[in-house]
DNA sequence: CGAGAAGTCTGACTAGAATCAGAGACCATG
DNA sequence: CATGGTCTCTGATTCTAGTCAGACTTCTCG
């Protein structure tokens, strides 16, 4: 990294820290809206989590990062207060399903209301214009922070995550291509080529949901091809595409390729722009993909 | 508030909550960089605070919001670990001054380094462009959140806070007015008029530091005059001025006035623009203030 | 100087968060 | 149906955060 880049990074991280300090001090209190309901914070957090999405104790433990014994005790308390209903799972009677009772739902609504009130009180002193500015800044920051914490993971192209991501990709192509997109067969047929030893498939997830994906397959002669690259529409504009592209180039390198190629349709204007920005040059058609209109290549060290 | 305003407020508060949830989940961990030093969080927070700015235990208690007994114990622990040095204050031997020892400074640097690393790791996956965007969004949000949590408090015009704020105000006028500003005597002479029963002085503070101020004094015939209105340069553009102005109008109303007047110098362009935006109309000169060039009035219900 | 206020410290205590080991229920499999 | 593995629960225990009352020291001000 250049000298200038490093000092910028330091300055930006200082901004993050400064923000973090002042924000948690003032707004961290939002979490404390969980207090004052006559139950300790941990119990309230659990109640809240159950209300957001009921599930097995196992799920809840994973989501909240709690010890099983501790969770059990918290649940017992909520149960004896009549706020949740714990019953064995029919599929596996070792597991227990947790859901809110009617009283629990009321308590949850109460939490929700308090939390919303806190947020409203926070921004109430601002003028409407300033409030709009704050909302814009926070949602921008939110997108970027989420994007920064997305994890890229190599998975089997036949895994559930991969299938879900590819399905979203195909659905979008079908919608955006002038004549629609017919994926019949091709998806499953390609699956094998997108797996080791000569291929790979990467899914980016945030909170467990796929938000981007991309695959690599062999094209012969030390050339790798990037396929099925997709970024969730709600996640565009946060540099996730470039990051994924860089990552896939690294995967190609690891697989021993020294050149990357790809094709794309002209209606995917953002993609075309991104490839050009990333240093890809246009080349002649190298396959008979009927949907492909632009062809790119880039040498990787 | 209008129907549209209310729904906007609800939506903006939802943005705040959404951001808060995802941010604390991902970045709240920044605070936890305080962990892993072999000391509990509370102790580490205290150590950090002492390092940021040494002071008396009284200061620290105010800054961290701790019970005196509790603070005493935490200090004892840091002292016995050789990280801080606690000694009686020479000015007032009931008080104790706390400062870091050399070892404490090293531990503090360690905390600092960890925290900076955390922040850097967070933003590292972003492209330089996205990082710059995040930094911009966060500093914007920071300013607005700080502004929203500023507290407006009525104080005596002879109090320390008031004096500090007025001193800053005078210094700025002296710098901005083409011929400088001579405050000799006027400041103290006016102090009495800016106090109850016919006047008031309001100071806005954030983290204990004055960031804005303004006073009201009687002008006769049910007219109140706003004087010494000032907003810290670093805090402009966050709606703090408008908020303070609205607040002072409320103070005037409470004091029984039905009209507000003020004068200002032409070089304070932001102030002039703000008064006009707030519904003030220009009137003829109503005093012999040599620095005043514009005169405003507004009727309050 | 004396009274009361301000400041700090100590001891006693409570509640919450969290961990750990082991008991017991249940499942999948050969 | 025996066995090992998974899952939840209970009891025992530790650490941290935080509160409260009262003792003691020092200051301020009449």
């Amino acid at each position: 990294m250049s000298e200038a880049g490093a000092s910028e990074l330091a300055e930006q991280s200082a901004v993050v820290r400064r923000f973090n300090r002042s924000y948690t001090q003032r707004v961290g209190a939002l979490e404390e809206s969980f207090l004052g309901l006559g139950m300790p914070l941990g119990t309230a957090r659990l109640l809240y989590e159950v209300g957001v999405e009921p599930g097995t104790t196992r799920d809840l433990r994973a989501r909240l990062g709690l010890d099983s014994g501790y969770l059990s005790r918290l649940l017992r308390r909520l149960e004896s207060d009549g706020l949740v209903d714990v019953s064995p799972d029919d599929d596996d009677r070792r597991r227990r399903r947790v859901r809110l009772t009617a009283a629990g739902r009321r308590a949850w609504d109460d939490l929700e209301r308090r939390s919303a009130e806190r947020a409203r009180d926070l921004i109430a002193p601002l003028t409407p214009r300033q409030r709009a500015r704050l909302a814009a800044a926070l949602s921008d920051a939110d997108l970027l922070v989420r994007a920064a914490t997305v994890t890229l993971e190599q998975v089997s192209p036949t895994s559930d995550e991969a299938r879900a991501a590819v399905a979203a990709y195909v659905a979008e192509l079908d919608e955006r291509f002038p004549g629609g997109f017919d994926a019949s067969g091709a998806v499953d047929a390609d699956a094998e080529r997108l797996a080791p030893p000569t291929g790979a498939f990467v899914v980016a997830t945030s909170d467990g949901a796929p938000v981007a994906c991309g695959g690599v397959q062999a094209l012969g002669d030390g050339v790798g091809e990037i396929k099925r690259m997709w970024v969730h529409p709600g996640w565009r504009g946060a540099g996730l595409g470039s990051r994924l592209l860089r990552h896939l180039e690294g995967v190609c390198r690891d697989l021993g390729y020294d050149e990357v190629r790809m094709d794309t349709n002209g209606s995917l204007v953002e993609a075309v722009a991104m490839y050009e920005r990333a240093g890809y040059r246009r080349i002649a058609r190298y396959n008979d993909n009927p949907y492909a209109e632009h062809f790119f290549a880039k040498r990787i060290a």
Side-chain angles (χ1 to χ4, degrees), chain A residues 10-24:
Chain A
E11 197 175 311
Q12 286 153 353
S13 78
V15 170
V16 171
R17 294 182 61 207
R18 195 154 48 231
F19 172 80
N20 199 53
R21 256 177 84 74
S22 85
Y23 189 79
T24 52

Side-chain angles (χ1 to χ4, degrees), chain A residues 2-47:
Chain A
S2 73
E3 197 57 33
S7 86
E8 265 175 36
L9 182 57
E11 197 175 311
Q12 286 153 353
S13 78
V15 170
V16 171
R17 294 182 61 207
R18 195 154 48 231
F19 172 80
N20 199 53
R21 256 177 84 74
S22 85
Y23 189 79
T24 52
Q25 195 184 337
R26 286 152 226 265
V27 189
L30 275 182
E31 269 276 315
E32 285 161 26
S33 55
F34 281 0
L35 293 172
L37 269 181
M39 67 176 82
L41 187 67
T43 319
R45 266 206 315 241
L46 175 57
L47 177 68

Side-chain angles (χ1 to χ4, degrees), chain A residues 16-274:
Chain A
V16 171
R17 294 182 61 207
R18 195 154 48 231
F19 172 80
N20 199 53
R21 256 177 84 74
S22 85
Y23 189 79
T24 52
Q25 195 184 337
R26 286 152 226 265
V27 189
L30 275 182
E31 269 276 315
E32 285 161 26
S33 55
F34 281 0
L35 293 172
L37 269 181
M39 67 176 82
L41 187 67
T43 319
R45 266 206 315 241
L46 175 57
L47 177 68
Y48 185 79
E49 210 58 43
V50 173
V52 169
E53 168 124 22
T56 63
T57 55
R58 188 172 177 63
D59 297 338
L60 292 169
R61 229 171 50 219
R63 274 195 270 159
L64 289 165
L66 299 175
D67 171 83
S68 73
Y70 186 29
L71 176 63
S72 175
R73 242 175 285 271
L74 292 178
L75 276 177
R76 193 86 338 103
R77 157 134 197 206
L78 287 175
E79 202 178 9
S80 76
D81 287 351
L83 299 176
V84 304
D85 184 67
V86 181
S87 56
D89 185 358
D90 287 337
D91 291 345
D92 181 343
R93 301 186 62 78
R94 286 172 303 186
R95 296 192 182 154
R96 327 210 95 206
R97 301 211 140 266
V98 186
R99 71 173 80 77
L100 295 183
T101 62
R105 176 56 60 184
R106 279 195 299 276
W108 191 87
D109 288 343
D110 209 31
L111 284 178
E112 188 70 1
R113 194 177 43 72
R114 276 164 191 262
S115 170
E117 260 169 27
R118 284 256 185 179
R120 262 205 307 281
D121 289 350
L122 171 74
I123 61 176
L126 294 175
T127 63
R129 237 165 22 126
Q130 309 299 343
R131 276 205 298 270
R133 214 174 113 200
L134 177 60
L138 286 184
S139 55
D140 208 25
D142 193 25
L143 176 66
L144 290 161
V145 168
R146 283 175 192 267
T149 54
V150 155
T151 59
L152 301 180
E153 204 179 354
Q154 192 164 328
V155 301
S156 156
T158 58
S159 65
D160 287 348
E161 298 106 301
R163 281 179 194 286
V166 170
Y169 161 80
V170 167
E172 183 174 354
L173 293 192
D174 191 38
E175 188 178 322
R176 293 185 62 172
F177 285 4
F181 178 69
D182 177 19
S184 62
V187 170
D188 278 357
D190 279 10
E192 204 174 322
R193 301 187 57 198
L194 293 169
T198 60
F201 198 79
V202 172
V203 172
T205 55
S206 178
D207 293 327
V211 296
C213 70
V216 172
Q217 68 184 22
L219 214 56
D221 276 340
V223 177
E225 183 180 23
I226 290 182
K227 300 279 294 178
R228 310 209 186 303
M229 193 167 149
W230 167 81
V231 174
H232 188 291
W235 286 75
R236 287 174 198 163
L240 193 50
S242 315
R243 185 174 154 206
L244 181 60
L245 183 56
R246 274 203 313 275
H247 184 82
L248 290 174
E249 288 169 5
V251 168
C252 284
R253 210 172 291 123
D254 292 346
L255 288 172
Y257 304 129
D258 55 14
E259 178 172 338
V260 185
R261 289 191 193 163
M262 66 184 75
D263 63 30
T264 190
N265 186 281
S267 55
L268 305 178
V269 284
E270 325 85 288
V272 171
M274 185 179 72

